[in-house]
Amino acid sequence: MDKNVIDAILNDIQNKPEYILEVSDIVRNGATQIQYREIISFLCENDFIRQPFKNHGKLTILEKGKEVLKLGGWKKYLLKEEQTKKQTAQKAIYDAQISKFQATYGKYALPISAISLLVAIGSLITGILMYQSRIKELEINQEKLKNKIEKIDSVKNIIDPK
């Protein structure tokens, strides 16, 4: 199908509030009457445009047709569709790999989680015990300093009684 003819048809339909299919359109868009009708049928079947009445030439553009025009034409729309298909296929491959991994190693998830939980609890308890021992150590050092200060004060009082 001629990409330029598709773009011209979609533009014509979008730019006219009530587009009616005429023979002059076929000549203007550079397609034979058969090609033109094939393109119109293709666009209708794939929900790019709509022909509300079968025997009437009135055509309206649908969201999918507007999307083609927003993307910059039929060629760019096809490229986007191909990229989307590639991404979908790649996602399916990744999903299959993840499912395979989960099926193979899923039985280890609970034991690994339990071990991780035990390690975390152990680390927490160790941290608390270290903190408490540090506090006791600081209290002991404080007592020693207090005793030294008292000795210094007592020596000071002996030397310089007031």
Side-chain angles (χ1 to χ4, degrees), residues 3-42:
K3 297 164 184 69
N4 295 330
V5 175
I6 294 174
D7 291 342
I9 291 169
L10 291 174
N11 275 321
D12 287 347
I13 295 171
Q14 184 177 17
N15 293 332
K16 294 181 184 175
E18 288 194 15
Y19 180 82
I20 297 177
L21 183 61
E22 296 177 6
V23 177
S24 63
D25 292 328
I26 297 169
V27 174
R28 189 178 77 222
N29 291 327
T32 65
Q33 190 171 7
I34 294 171
Q35 289 173 328
Y36 194 80
R37 292 198 186 279
E38 284 177 357
I39 291 171
I40 294 292
S41 294
F42 171 79

Side-chain angles (χ1 to χ4, degrees), residues 82-95:
E82 190 170 325
Q83 287 175 345
T84 303
K85 285 179 185 177
K86 284 180 184 177
Q87 288 173 347
T88 303
Q90 191 64 40
K91 183 183 180 308
I93 291 170
Y94 289 147
D95 287 345

Side-chain angles (χ1 to χ4, degrees), residues 62-84:
L62 299 174
E63 286 301 315
K64 213 169 165 185
K66 290 177 183 177
E67 183 182 340
V68 171
L69 295 175
K70 282 181 192 173
L71 289 173
W74 185 252
K75 189 176 182 179
K76 290 182 181 177
Y77 175 79
L78 291 177
L79 287 173
K80 181 187 173 262
E81 285 295 310
E82 190 170 325
Q83 287 175 345
T84 303

